[in-house]
Amino acid sequence: MNAGFDRGTAIGRLAITTGLFLVSARILAQATGTTTGDIRGRVLDESGAAVAGVTVTAVSRESGLVRSDLTFPDGAFAIRLLPPGLYRLTASREGFRTAALDDVRVALGSSTPIELRLEIGVVTESVAVTARAGLIDPASSDLGKTIGEEKIRNLPINQRNFIEFSLTTPGVVGDRGPQPGAAPSSGLSFNGQSPRYNNILVDGLDNNDPAVGSIRTTFSQDAVEEYQVIQTPFAAEYGRAAGGIVNIVTHSGSNDLHGSAFYFYRDDSLAAHNFLTGGKTPYNQDQYGATIGGPVVRERLFYFGAAERLAVTDANVVTISDDTVGAIRRSGFDVENGDVPFERSRNTWLLKLDWQRSSRHSFSLRGTYADEEDENQQRWGGLVARSGGGVRRIEDSAIAATGVSILSEMVSNEFRALYSRREQRLDSLDPTGGVAVEIQGFATFGTNQLLPQPRDLTTYQAFDAVSLFGSRGTYKFGLDYLHTDVEGRLPLYFSGLYVFSDLPAIPGLLPAPISALEAFEAGIPAGFAQGFGDPAAKISANQLGAFAQGEWNLTERLLLRLGLRYDYEDPVDPFPTDSDNWAPRLSFSWAGGRTWRVRGGIGRFYGVVSFAPSVLAAIENGSRAKVVSRSIEVVGAPSPLEPWTLPNHRFANEAEAGASVVPLTIYRAGRFESVYSDHAGLGWEKELGGGTLLNLDYIRVRGRKILVERNVNPVVNGSRPDPSFSEIFLYESSGKSWYDAVTIGARTRPGSRLDLAAYYTYADAEDDSIDWSEGQPEDPLNIGGERGPTIHVPRHRAQLSGSYSSPESGAWWKRGWILAIIADHTAGLPYNELAGFDRNKNGDFPPSDRPEGVGRNRRTLPSATTVDLRVSRRFRLGRATIEGIVEAFNVFNRENVLEVNGVRYRDPSLEPNPDFGRATRTSDPRRIQIGGRVSF
């Protein structure tokens, strides 16, 4: 706001559709934006009395942006909608010396509290103020953490994937659910919820792949200004997330020319031995990039650009035996075992222009482009040959425009718009495009049954919010519209799939039982499936969000925030529209003293269901596309031996295949409602001397209407309820989750020489289905019987992250050092124990049955500990800074088991499986990386 604001003006009572009421207050409430922050505080004289009519001015150290406000009669002021960064703050009034405070940091989505004291004197006499901003933000009511530029620059993050900074905050864990190559998730589970229901924002705009609930390709870590992880987003502005929010703001240029260039290198000579093989696997990684930013017109127009490349040569260990490889090759297929290489690469570019039209109006235009390739996207290795995997190629581009305008002393507006395009191709690594073959217990190779799978995604988004400021409160109203077009193909089993298994004696065919490998060598498959029809899809979907929110300081110490959000979800047919999604939210912050406060709230949060299940239900419905199946067990019917003898081992067309011997398997849409979660949180913060903040938080989350997949046509008493079909997979909104957690933590002042954050979390998390790609319940007709521990969430977790910077003075060999660490310890994570056969004889394949009396996810892995370290040293050379860097990931070379063989028995005779409990996937061994950076 500008000086001259008439403090006698009040908004009065404001009637809005949400039923918010204007509440009398003495101090102006704050309203931070998704991409901005505020400075607020009080101005006092030497005796501690409030000083009214003081002009408080904030000037950006980077861009020269100037914003001002006048203090209330009680000395309060607020300077709003400031881009994150450093500011110089001055306070002046006739009869007092001007007070100046340098390096006031404005954090994303936060209010920086400041108290200034004026001395009596001539206004032209300036006095430097050394007071520091408080650690407690009394205007914040959510439970979240902000990761600033220093941590982003210094912490050791593997392959510079800055999304993983989220894992350094409480309540956020990595995704341990199924990761099919065509349908990866966001990789982050908030509060035990599905990783598909988060909202990742870049500059306040969507950065998600709604087809599967994953994250679109990002950009260089050096392009990130600040990063906010919101565990419970109580503000009504945040939507389309039943899990959590990751809010990222990109860098901007400044009045001075700045740039940097970096290079990192690692290979297998800098790594320890693979935990599963006992030897080193081939590995090489190069990662390099640069940034540049500066003024086009000083204090008006700025530019910033960033580019980065990652190139990795890695290897998977294929454990198919030599005898099996020989048998496969003799049958005309090509597979290899041992260390089999693959490559992964990513190139990203970002260009941003910022225009400060005036102190009241600022605009940004950002363009991003990325291309990436990953030959391990559809995972392979172990008993799956390289040809059974898939390579993903992506081109991802976006243009985003944002604007912030202070229209008057009482009104501001935020506008954002986005166009993005994502072209993804997931192709088989089988160069022949041949059939898929599964020799149970021996090998899997050939074209994966879900591939190839192309998908083009186009997104349009428009957001606008108006804020009203007055002496009695702050109000914000907004609309958020998102339209998505998706075009792709889902050719299920179109390449053909053979399954070879142990076979009993079959009269006229097999005089004695044979093994799966012997059946393959004899050319006797147990089953065959091939898809036909139209697998193409061209769809559109819409989401609309509208919100209204009011904030009031009921007293000097108590802030109340009340909001209501409406979310309209128009998903892909055959799912119906859900238009009754009202989400009320209430939160508060109460400062019980100068150094402590309590904050928390309750609210409902709606997520968006991924498009993939509805597309599958629309395509694989038995008429538009269908899978023709044959089984060796169906006596007298056409046999799977017939297509095995054909060229390419499959039918040329549907007419040649004829009718399916086995009834069709189809997918259908069941009862659908938008997924949502109910949150309740309560937190306590205490600021200690020396710049340390303690916190104690409790959060309770209940997830409802989670989309699950279940077979509603299982075998019951020897037959299926609908004998005209095999499995009928139904997608319906019937899943639930339960999460309760307590976190105790401490952090030092961000940006200080010792910048540390440490947290311990105790969590109790359960669900009855984690994801629509998880697999079938043991009894799909009783999903309530599946309630068990959530596989993502450990009971106990301790985290430490931070850095130490050596003093800039003293002996030369002591200066310029930075030591950074990320350490994480988790108790054993749950996993699901399986019997290994169809114990309840309901016809599911692969069988989902557990041993008798064993509940879902009741087994636990060993505990896991990871410590990543970074040591760097900076040298100044004129205006330039040169930095040498060494990083060690899993520095203590701890074997952290990620997955085990969970099958208890070999067969229905209950013969023990000798591999039960054996690790099948572990964390990476210790890997060391060296690099350097030049910046100016």
Side-chain angles (χ1 to χ4, degrees):
M1 295 183 189
N2 289 339
F5 176 32
D6 182 2
R7 296 298 186 177
T9 304
I11 296 178
R13 290 191 175 274
L14 180 64
I16 57 176
T17 57
T18 61
L20 298 177
F21 297 98
L22 187 62
V23 180
S24 176
R26 294 187 303 147
I27 299 177
L28 185 64
Q30 311 306 311
T32 60
T34 307
T35 62
T36 59
D38 295 344
I39 299 175
R40 64 100 188 135
R42 301 181 71 196
V43 178
L44 309 175
D45 63 18
E46 294 173 280
S47 68
V51 183
V54 177
T55 300
V56 183
T57 302
V59 180
S60 169
R61 299 291 298 271
E62 289 86 14
S63 66
L65 175 68
V66 179
R67 294 261 171 87
S68 300
D69 191 24
L70 278 179
T71 58
F72 280 102
D74 60 0
F77 69 90
I79 305 176
R80 301 180 180 84
L81 302 176
L82 295 170
L86 292 176
Y87 289 80
R88 187 173 194 268
L89 199 67
T90 60
S92 61
R93 203 196 96 163
E94 186 176 352
F96 293 89
R97 294 180 180 177
T98 298
L101 179 61
D102 286 328
D103 296 337
V104 176
R105 181 171 293 279
V106 173
L108 175 63
S110 301
S111 288
T112 303
I114 296 291
E115 183 176 285
L116 293 171
R117 290 187 179 260
L118 295 185
E119 300 176 3
I120 296 176
V122 181
V123 69
T124 56
E125 296 177 347
S126 179
V127 58
V129 179
T130 58
R132 305 180 74 178
L135 283 169
I136 294 177
D137 175 8
S140 171
S141 58
D142 57 43
L143 303 182
K145 301 292 182 290
T146 298
I147 299 171
E149 184 178 6
E150 288 299 313
K151 280 193 173 182
I152 293 171
R153 180 184 175 96
N154 294 328
L155 289 181
I157 291 293
N158 195 12
Q159 295 185 350
R160 293 168 48 84
N161 179 10
F162 59 82
I163 294 296
E164 292 189 4
F165 282 119
S166 302
L167 299 176
T168 67
T169 63
V172 186
V173 295
D175 180 9
R176 291 186 58 247
Q179 293 289 311
S185 74
S186 70
L188 304 173
S189 172
F190 283 73
N191 308 319
Q193 305 308 297
S194 169
R196 300 193 190 276
Y197 298 135
N198 302 320
N199 192 359
I200 312 301
L201 302 173
V202 176
D203 295 328
L205 289 159
D206 182 271
N207 199 63
N208 307 284
D209 183 344
V212 292
S214 65
I215 302 173
R216 287 186 25 237
T217 305
T218 53
F219 36 80
S220 173
Q221 177 177 312
D222 288 354
V224 179
E225 172 76 23
E226 212 156 79
Y227 188 107
Q228 188 180 30
V229 182
I230 308 177
Q231 189 179 1
T232 53
F234 291 117
E237 182 172 345
Y238 294 107
R240 297 197 299 275
I245 301 287
V246 177
N247 186 21
I248 302 160
V249 170
T250 56
H251 260 303
S252 296
S254 66
N255 280 323
D256 297 317
L257 179 65
H258 292 288
S260 66
F262 69 89
Y263 174 74
F264 290 100
Y265 174 79
R266 68 175 90 166
D267 66 9
D268 49 77
S269 68
L270 299 173
H273 289 205
N274 185 288
F275 295 122
L276 297 180
T277 66
K280 290 191 176 185
T281 54
Y283 189 87
N284 182 272
Q285 176 177 306
D286 295 280
Q287 192 165 15
Y288 49 91
T291 66
I292 187 72
V296 178
V297 179
R298 287 183 61 83
E299 300 189 357
R300 284 292 179 265
L301 184 62
F302 312 93
Y303 69 92
F304 177 83
E308 184 166 323
R309 173 171 172 77
L310 171 70
V312 177
T313 299
D314 203 345
N316 284 334
V317 181
V318 177
T319 58
I320 303 172
S321 70
D322 292 339
D323 290 343
T324 302
V325 169
I328 293 171
R329 289 176 175 172
R330 287 192 296 272
S331 296
F333 299 94
D334 185 22
V335 298
E336 57 182 320
N337 56 9
D339 295 337
V340 182
F342 68 88
E343 293 187 350
R344 187 168 65 247
S345 65
R346 182 177 65 243
N347 301 293
T348 65
W349 292 266
L350 177 145
L351 179 62
K352 185 178 181 182
L353 295 174
D354 290 274
W355 178 34
Q356 291 180 180
R357 179 185 169 191
S358 68
S359 62
R360 289 175 174 262
H361 304 281
S362 59
F363 306 93
S364 294
L365 182 66
R366 169 177 54 83
T368 58
Y369 176 81
D371 63 80
E372 60 178 291
E373 180 173 327
D374 186 352
E375 293 181 336
N376 195 38
Q377 178 63 33
Q378 187 74 46
R379 290 180 180 173
W380 51 278
L383 294 180
V384 180
R386 175 184 165 91
S387 62
V391 53
R392 183 178 71 173
R393 300 178 179 90
I394 288 178
E395 290 190 29
D396 195 315
S397 57
I399 298 175
T402 63
V404 174
S405 293
I406 298 179
L407 304 176
S408 72
E409 288 78 4
M410 297 174 58
V411 182
S412 72
N413 186 82
E414 299 170 74
F415 171 77
R416 300 190 279 270
L418 170 73
Y419 166 81
S420 66
R421 173 78 174 174
R422 181 176 175 86
E423 299 178 1
Q424 173 176 298
R425 301 293 180 266
L426 184 59
D427 296 317
S428 172
L429 284 170
D430 184 350
T432 69
V435 295
V437 177
E438 180 184 350
I439 310 172
Q440 292 184 355
F442 291 88
T444 297
F445 57 92
T447 303
N448 183 281
Q449 59 264 30
L450 295 173
L451 305 182
Q453 202 174 136
R455 184 169 72 235
D456 294 337
L457 180 78
T458 305
T459 300
Y460 306 88
Q461 184 181 9
F463 172 95
D464 193 82
V466 176
S467 296
L468 307 178
F469 310 109
S471 60
R472 295 177 181 267
T474 300
Y475 307 88
K476 193 169 189 177
F477 312 87
L479 290 172
D480 186 2
Y481 173 69
L482 187 71
H483 174 85
T484 307
D485 295 320
V486 181
E487 186 172 358
R489 293 171 59 85
L490 187 59
L492 191 62
Y493 295 103
F494 271 50
S495 295
L497 168 67
Y498 286 92
V499 175
F500 293 87
S501 62
D502 298 346
L503 294 176
I506 301 176
L509 182 63
L510 289 175
I514 59 175
S515 70
L517 183 59
E518 291 171 331
F520 172 75
E521 293 182 290
I524 307 175
F528 170 72
Q530 187 175 349
F532 300 96
D534 179 13
K538 189 174 183 179
I539 58 177
S540 296
N542 300 280
Q543 288 92 42
L544 174 66
F547 66 90
Q549 182 170 283
E551 299 179 7
W552 309 272
N553 280 100
L554 303 184
T555 70
E556 182 179 333
R557 295 185 175 185
L558 177 61
L559 173 121
L560 178 69
R561 176 180 288 125
L562 180 63
L564 181 66
R565 184 179 177 92
Y566 171 74
D567 284 292
Y568 170 89
E569 183 176 4
D570 178 22
V572 178
D573 289 338
F575 287 174
T577 296
D578 194 354
S579 58
D580 60 351
N581 302 330
W582 296 93
R585 302 173 190 182
L586 171 66
S587 58
F588 74 95
S589 173
W590 177 63
R594 291 179 60 86
T595 61
W596 66 276
R597 71 154 179 160
V598 178
R599 83 272 196 248
I602 57 175
R604 175 163 292 183
F605 307 91
Y606 281 91
V608 176
V609 171
S610 308
F611 301 160
S614 53
V615 172
L616 186 59
I619 293 176
E620 298 296 333
N621 56 15
S623 56
R624 182 174 170 184
K626 61 183 179 181
V627 177
V628 174
S629 301
R630 296 189 175 189
S631 173
I632 198 72
E633 297 177 358
V634 182
V635 180
S639 167
L641 277 70
E642 177 190 353
W644 186 253
T645 63
L646 295 175
N648 300 318
H649 301 290
R650 60 186 173 223
F651 296 110
N653 50 59
E654 186 176 353
E656 182 180 335
S660 180
V661 173
V662 180
L664 295 178
T665 293
I666 63 172
Y667 294 80
R668 288 178 176 170
R671 181 179 178 182
F672 171 77
E673 295 181 61
S674 296
V675 60
Y676 68 88
S677 58
D678 290 324
H679 292 218
L682 186 65
W684 171 82
E685 290 181 326
K686 169 68 174 178
E687 185 173 348
L688 304 179
T692 300
L693 184 70
L694 299 180
N695 71 277
L696 178 64
D697 298 325
Y698 167 72
I699 185 169
R700 178 184 180 91
V701 179
R702 296 292 181 265
R704 310 179 195 276
K705 307 300 181 183
I706 300 170
L707 190 71
V708 301
E709 178 196 275
R710 65 186 181 100
N711 175 20
V712 296
N713 199 42
V715 175
V716 179
N717 297 323
S719 63
R720 298 187 185 273
D722 186 347
S724 59
F725 294 101
S726 291
E727 293 88 353
I728 301 176
F729 292 114
L730 191 72
Y731 289 110
E732 62 178 14
S733 303
S734 60
K736 301 180 182 68
S737 66
W738 301 262
Y739 179 86
D740 293 90
V742 176
T743 295
I744 183 171
R747 66 175 174 86
T748 60
R749 186 181 301 276
S752 59
R753 184 169 297 156
L754 180 63
D755 186 351
L756 289 178
Y759 304 102
Y760 164 76
T761 300
Y762 171 86
D764 181 13
E766 293 186 320
D767 56 39
D768 53 26
S769 178
I770 193 60
D771 189 63
W772 43 259
S773 67
E774 177 184 21
Q776 292 303 298
E778 181 178 60
D779 180 359
L781 302 182
N782 178 28
I783 191 173
E786 292 293 286
R787 179 169 175 172
T790 300
I791 61 173
H792 303 305
V793 181
R795 182 76 68 175
H796 306 277
R797 186 184 184 200
Q799 304 160 268
L800 173 68
S801 63
S803 62
Y804 171 76
S805 302
S806 65
E808 293 300 321
S809 59
W812 66 269
W813 53 271
K814 294 181 179 180
R815 299 193 299 264
W817 292 96
I818 298 177
L819 174 65
I821 184 172
I822 295 179
D824 190 293
H825 174 79
T826 63
L829 288 160
Y831 73 90
N832 200 31
E833 180 182 342
L834 298 175
F837 62 95
D838 188 3
R839 188 175 60 81
N840 60 10
K841 296 181 170 53
N842 68 352
D844 59 344
F845 182 82
S848 60
D849 307 68
R850 298 181 291 270
E852 188 173 1
V854 176
R856 174 174 168 269
N857 296 340
R858 296 296 176 179
R859 284 275 184 174
T860 56
L861 298 173
S863 64
T865 302
T866 302
V867 178
D868 299 336
L869 287 177
R870 186 187 220 228
V871 178
S872 65
R873 191 176 184 196
R874 297 173 182 173
F875 303 88
R876 291 197 175 275
L877 188 62
R879 188 171 171 232
T881 299
I882 300 174
E883 183 177 14
I885 302 168
V886 177
E887 293 177 310
F889 300 97
N890 193 9
V891 65
F892 296 114
N893 201 33
R894 170 75 180 260
E895 181 179 1
N896 296 313
V897 177
L898 305 179
E899 292 179 8
V900 298
N901 186 324
V903 179
R904 168 77 69 85
Y905 306 115
R906 298 186 65 173
D907 52 44
S909 69
L910 304 187
E911 180 182 351
N913 175 12
D915 293 328
F916 174 65
R918 178 181 296 177
T920 58
R921 190 164 70 93
T922 65
S923 62
D924 288 335
R926 178 178 55 243
R927 285 180 171 171
I928 297 174
Q929 174 172 278
I930 57 176
R933 178 192 300 273
V934 177
S935 56
F936 63 91

